[in-house]
Structures are given as structure tokens and as C-alpha cells.
Amino acid sequence: MCTEADHGAGREDLGRRALLVTGAATALTLGTMSFAGAAEGARSTRTLTGTLPPGAPDYVYLPVEVPRGVREIRVAYAYTKATVPAGTQNNALDIGVFDERGTALGGDGFRGWSGGARTEFFVRADDATPGYLPGPVRAGTWHVALAPYTVAPDGLPYTVTVTLTHGRDTGPAPEPRYPPRRARGRGRAWYRGDCHLHSWHSDGRRTPAEIGALARAAGLDFLCTSDHNTHSAHPHWADVAGDDLLVMLGEEITTRNGHVLALGTDPGTFVDWRYRARDNRWAAYAGRIRRAGGLVVPAHPHATCVGCGWKFGFGEADAVEVWNGPYTADDEVSLAEWDNTLVAYARSRGGGRGPGSWLPAMGNSDAHRDPDRVGGPQTVVLADDLTRDAIQAGIRAGHAYVAESAEVTVRLTATGGGGRTAGLGERLRADAGGPVTVDLEVRGAPGCTLHLVTDQGTLFTSAALPGSGAGGARWVTTPARAAYVRAEVRHPATVPGLPGALAAFTNPVFLGG
């Protein structure tokens, strides 16, 4: 039995532990938990107790010396919630594990993460708890990773129990199968998808199969996986994909300074999260996402939960998740901030992606469990086909709008002299004083009002749509008056002085240049 006295893990002893500065967040390493070899089938258990103080490092590592001949490692943990004054954060402790390859940033030794979603996990050659990677339990120094997310004023008492089962592996590691990069599409068309979804491989409560069924029921053509800080789900989506549903793979990289979607990465791609904005490491990990074929999409940038607001800036982003789940006040703030970024691009009259270019918007459900609605909202993308590359290209180009459900469709075009036209994410070349006709068509939004928004603000608002939910608007402007135009479809306001919730909004059409 390893006790607090054995390992010096109490709050008064933290100063005597190894404090490692890794170039990112500081990390505390506790005393080593050692095991000896044992007979086939035997189990060995050690327990550590301790208390982490306020101001503890972001990551606390417990070294575990694993001898040869171990077929399974099982870890259980618990911690105490405190009695705290109103407005004071209570204790929250996340957990994961790294194998004998170490804890260095980049994740070569990464074997799984469950955050605060589970109280125990196991890893062995042929199986592992969701969130963790099956594979041999090799001899060497493993590390249980504890992540004190918030610590109460009196500290965070914890207990960690490690159990090793000795003996030969029960079977080989499963050969991973991954979903294909294409589905049966309709050629160049509008495709609906949800790219922020959580399964039971992180803090969701649904299996991949259940999510796939809900995606089909919601009328989606594609989805992207995004479990927190793990890629363990990737092989479990192969049977969910089909001719009618493209499944892209990814991760929600969940740092202490915000969350970001790695959207559509290559199978098996892991992106580390153990850094803050001040560590100046984000650009390297954004590059890793792109090298793995993914898009960089900051998620819910103005979410109010601790650590959820995006603090890394948008210089590395390919798009931004403006609308996350049921429409709330933080989405309205994200919408306003995103709209402000469009002015700078319009002024630059730039083109293409890269520094100084504009940031397309998207929306996703962030669904975890019932009653969270998969596809609410969803991003509707104009793409050349139903493939990973084509969907990503449409998102990156801004050829997309966001809708609350598959019932809502939106079409926005701008027409200038000579019959030239432009759609979402495009620029209509026209003289500054030349007339531009903007046409908006909407279906599936009964009782909603239509709005045309420019760099000057909202310059057109319609009457409420009839019960059929169908309607449209035509508005004439010039590039001198409107650097861009985008559409919003809004439900009736429920709070005086505040706009109604969105039913849909579009990326902009830029005018002039």
C-alpha cells in the first residue's frame, strides 16, 4: 500500500517533488509507484493518496514502474468536492495515462484520456476503456496524468489506485479499420453536416453507432468526430460510415485557454493539448493538424465555462465555430465578433486563404447526450462531391451557411453589371457605384424574419415569413455602400431589446474590387 506518507503527495510536500518546466505548462512529478513481477494471473495493487494545493501545476504525473510480464494496467481514482462559498470554483480533476515512451509534448507515449468523464480505466493488448488505446503493456515507467482543472481554496484531496494483472497478453492488438474518405455524393451540391460531436470515447454518452443513426435521422450527409483530447474512437467509426454518410475523423483539442476542432485529420492522428497561449506552442500544433490533412477550427470562442473561451487568436484558424449547440448569448457575441473580422478583409480586397484573408464561419451541435440534438445546428456546404477533401475545401472557402435543422434552406446571391453573379464566400467584381442586386430565398422558417447585414450593420429586415416558412427578399445596393452582404434568419425576439435566436445565417458575399 502506498500512502501519502510513502509518496509525500500532501500539499505540504509539493515543494520537495520534482517541478519540471517542459517549455509549456509546468508539470509536477510525484514519487514513483513501484511493482515487482508476479505469477501468471496474479494481481498487484498500489494506492496513493494526497492533496493538491491551490495553484498546483496544470499536470501532475505519477510514475508507475511496470515490470515485465504484465498484461493489463487498471487505474481508478477519486477526489473530494469541497464546501466552497458561492462564486468559488470547486475541485475538478481530470485523468489520463502515458506509457513507457514518456510524457513529452507531442504525445508519442499517449495511451488515453478520459478527462473527468470516468473514475477508472484499463489498457491491455486486445482492448481498452473508451478513450484509451489498446496495445501491449510494455515494461518501463508509465505515467498516470492528473490534471487539476480547478482547485478549491482548501486544496484537492485525491486517491489513485493502480492494479496490474500479470501474465501473457490475452490477444493481439486489434487491427484498426477506418471510414473511407468518400461517400456516394450528388456531384456539386449542397451537403449538410455536423463537425462537433462527442461519443463515449470522451465525455459523451452515445456510441458511434448511435450518433450515426441520429445523424442520418437529422438529414445529414457528413459528420466529423471530435472527442476531447483523444483519437481512440477513430477505428470505431468504420461501420458507421456508408454510401449515404461521410464520416471524417478529428479531435477537440481541449486546452486551459480554449478548445479547437481538428477537423478531418488522417486516421490515428493525435494532437497534444498540454500548453497555454502564453507558451507560444499553438502554431506548431496548428501546423500538425494541417499536415495531417485537417482544418483548424476554434470552437465556441466565447463560451463561459472555465477554460472554454478561445485565447490563442485566429491567425492559425481555417474557419471558426460561430454557432455552438442551442443558440445562446455567447453565440450572439461570437457572431458579432466574427462580423467585425469581415470588415478588415473587405478593406484589404484580398483573395484566397492565408494571412490577412477572411475567416469563414460554421456551426455545430457539440452534442454529448440526450436530449442534445445531433445536427442542431448544422453547416450546409457547397462542395464538388461528398468527400473529405471537397467538404473541407467548401468550408475553407466559405461556401457554406449554418441552419438550425435540415428543414431550413437558404440561398443568397449577388448580381452586378453584365449579369455577373457571386455566391457565398465569393467576391462580385463591380464598380464602386455600380448597382448590385442581392437576392435571398429561404424555406423552412415559419414566423422568422429575414435580415441582410453589411459592414454598416443590418440594412434590410423583412416582415415575418408565413406559416409555409418560405419567402424571399430582393435588395439593391452598391459596393460603395456595402463591402459585403450576408443573411440572417431569426426567430421572433423573446427578450425586449435583444434580437431573436438564429434559425440560419450565411457566410458573406463580398462586393467590389
Side-chain angles (χ1 to χ4, degrees):
M1 173 76 71
C2 296
T3 67
E4 181 174 331
D6 293 329
H7 282 271
R11 57 184 294 191
E12 69 275 17
D13 295 314
L14 287 177
R16 296 201 293 271
R17 297 292 127 204
L19 187 64
L20 305 180
V21 179
T22 64
T26 55
L28 176 74
T29 300
L30 303 173
T32 300
M33 181 182 284
S34 296
F35 289 82
E40 177 84 18
R43 291 183 178 179
S44 303
T45 296
R46 303 283 187 273
T47 296
L48 171 71
T49 62
T51 300
L52 298 174
D58 288 347
Y59 303 100
V60 177
Y61 295 104
L62 169 61
V64 179
E65 287 295 339
V66 176
R68 294 183 183 279
V70 170
R71 68 175 177 229
E72 180 184 280
I73 180 169
R74 183 176 294 268
V75 179
Y77 86 119
Y79 64 93
T80 303
K81 291 284 190 179
T83 300
V84 297
T88 300
Q89 293 293 331
N90 210 327
N91 289 324
L93 183 64
D94 293 348
I95 195 167
V97 72
F98 291 77
D99 67 19
E100 84 289 347
R101 290 170 292 180
T103 63
L105 284 173
D108 287 346
F110 176 78
R111 291 297 292 271
W113 187 257
S114 48
R118 300 180 186 277
T119 58
E120 63 180 287
F121 62 85
F122 74 90
V123 174
R124 65 174 185 252
D126 63 336
D127 199 6
T129 300
Y132 294 80
L133 307 178
V137 181
R138 293 178 289 264
T141 304
W142 288 52
H143 289 83
V144 176
L146 301 174
Y149 204 71
T150 51
V151 180
D154 290 334
L156 191 161
Y158 67 90
T159 299
V160 179
T161 298
V162 179
T163 299
L164 303 184
T165 301
H166 301 265
R168 293 184 297 273
D169 290 339
T170 54
E175 188 68 28
R177 293 175 50 246
Y178 299 111
R181 293 176 52 171
R182 64 171 52 246
R184 185 177 61 222
R186 305 182 298 277
R188 186 166 177 81
W190 293 92
Y191 296 100
R192 295 176 177 270
D194 188 345
C195 294
H196 192 164
L197 296 160
H198 295 280
S199 77
W200 66 352
H201 284 264
S202 58
D203 59 344
R205 292 294 179 267
R206 294 164 172 157
T207 66
E210 289 169 337
I211 294 170
L214 291 169
R216 288 179 166 94
L220 301 186
D221 301 295
F222 67 91
L223 62 81
C224 185
T225 72
S226 59
D227 282 307
H228 293 284
N229 294 347
T230 183
H231 58 296
S232 68
H234 286 190
H236 298 274
W237 286 94
D239 292 336
V240 176
D243 287 344
D244 62 331
L245 184 66
L246 172 70
V247 174
M248 299 185 290
L249 302 175
E251 178 186 339
E252 183 173 12
I253 300 147
T254 305
T255 79
R256 299 301 177 89
N257 288 158
H259 303 183
V260 59
L261 304 177
L263 194 163
T265 50
D266 294 334
T269 298
F270 169 73
V271 183
D272 213 322
W273 70 93
R274 294 171 293 158
Y275 43 85
R276 293 191 181 218
R278 66 185 180 226
D279 299 321
N280 295 318
R281 288 183 174 270
W282 165 235
Y285 288 99
R288 173 164 173 73
I289 294 170
R290 292 198 187 90
R291 288 192 299 275
L295 300 183
V296 176
V297 184
H300 46 64
H302 287 280
T304 57
C305 48
V306 174
C308 296
W310 184 247
K311 306 296 185 183
F312 292 85
F314 296 99
E316 296 292 340
D318 296 301
V320 60
E321 185 186 72
V322 168
W323 183 354
N324 173 276
Y327 197 76
T328 56
D330 61 286
D331 298 305
E332 189 70 30
V333 173
S334 294
L335 180 68
E337 180 187 52
W338 169 71
D339 186 80
N340 290 340
T341 70
L342 301 178
V343 178
Y345 173 79
R347 184 174 60 248
S348 74
R349 299 174 184 267
R353 298 294 299 137
S357 62
W358 73 288
L359 187 63
M362 63 183 308
N364 303 296
S365 72
D366 199 359
H368 286 69
R369 60 187 67 83
D370 294 339
D372 296 352
R373 184 167 61 87
V374 172
Q378 54 196 247
T379 301
V380 190
V381 183
L382 180 62
D384 288 336
D385 208 344
L386 189 52
T387 68
R388 182 184 81 162
D389 292 348
I391 294 296
Q392 288 177 322
I395 292 170
R396 188 186 296 110
H399 298 161
Y401 65 91
V402 180
E404 65 181 0
S405 73
E407 296 178 357
V408 180
T409 62
V410 181
R411 297 291 183 267
L412 179 69
T413 59
T415 304
R420 293 188 298 272
T421 63
L424 303 183
E426 298 176 339
R427 180 181 290 276
L428 178 67
R429 304 292 176 178
D431 295 336
V436 172
T437 301
V438 178
D439 288 297
L440 173 62
E441 297 180 7
V442 174
R443 295 185 181 277
C448 292
T449 50
L450 312 183
H451 307 262
L452 294 175
V453 184
T454 75
D455 55 307
Q456 189 179 350
T458 301
L459 296 185
F460 173 87
T461 299
S462 76
L465 294 180
S468 67
R474 171 165 286 187
W475 182 64
V476 179
T477 187
T478 67
R481 187 183 178 200
Y484 61 86
V485 60
R486 60 180 186 82
E488 295 177 358
V489 183
R490 288 188 178 265
H491 291 284
T494 57
V495 178
L498 295 178
L502 285 177
F505 78 96
T506 73
N507 276 299
V509 181
F510 293 98
L511 307 180

